[in-house]
Amino acid sequence: VEVGNFYFKRKKYAGALSRYKEAIRVDSDYAPAYLGLGKVYEKIGLKEKALKAYKQYLDELPSTKQADEAKDVHEAIARLEKEIGSDQSKASTRP
């Protein structure tokens, strides 16, 4: 995850994505890897995958010490759900 964060900060999203996925393969309960996935997916426009990763992050949180990050994730989830709903309603009104 640390290497993924390094890539993410440098906007090397493909590298970050592969590192976060690798972290999940090693430990499928590791919350920070899901947080990283959500951030990358959101940056590259994969909103539904970002939403799923953020929700998984919240499910995997081991304690309340990450409350600040969790608050940010709740805000991201709300934003993505709104955007996805808006995108879907636009698509359904097209002839």
Side-chain angles (χ1 to χ4, degrees), residues 59-75:
D59 289 343
E60 300 298 338
L61 279 177
S63 69
T64 58
K65 71 179 183 177
Q66 292 115 336
D68 288 339
E69 280 188 346
K71 180 182 170 192
D72 292 342
V73 169
H74 281 290
E75 291 170 1

Side-chain angles (χ1 to χ4, degrees), residues 14 16 18 33 46 70 75 77 86 92:
S18 73
L46 298 175
E75 291 170 1
I77 286 171
S86 176
S92 67

Side-chain angles (χ1 to χ4, degrees), residues 5-92:
N5 292 342
F6 174 84
Y7 284 128
F8 183 83
K9 288 177 186 172
R10 283 153 186 78
K11 299 182 182 180
K12 308 276 187 191
Y13 301 126
L17 187 63
S18 73
R19 293 301 177 183
Y20 296 136
K21 285 181 175 182
E22 182 180 340
I24 290 168
R25 278 192 298 275
V26 171
D27 182 356
S28 64
D29 297 326
Y30 190 55
Y34 290 103
L35 177 60
L37 269 183
K39 289 178 179 181
V40 170
Y41 284 141
E42 190 171 1
K43 284 288 187 185
I44 62 176
L46 298 175
K47 295 175 186 176
E48 290 184 19
K49 285 188 173 193
L51 185 60
K52 183 178 176 183
Y54 283 146
K55 287 181 178 180
Q56 186 69 33
Y57 164 74
L58 293 176
D59 289 343
E60 300 298 338
L61 279 177
S63 69
T64 58
K65 71 179 183 177
Q66 292 115 336
D68 288 339
E69 280 188 346
K71 180 182 170 192
D72 292 342
V73 169
H74 281 290
E75 291 170 1
I77 286 171
R79 182 181 62 251
L80 288 166
E81 285 177 337
K82 184 177 178 182
E83 290 175 8
I84 290 169
S86 176
D87 291 348
Q88 288 175 348
S89 67
K90 287 178 188 175
S92 67

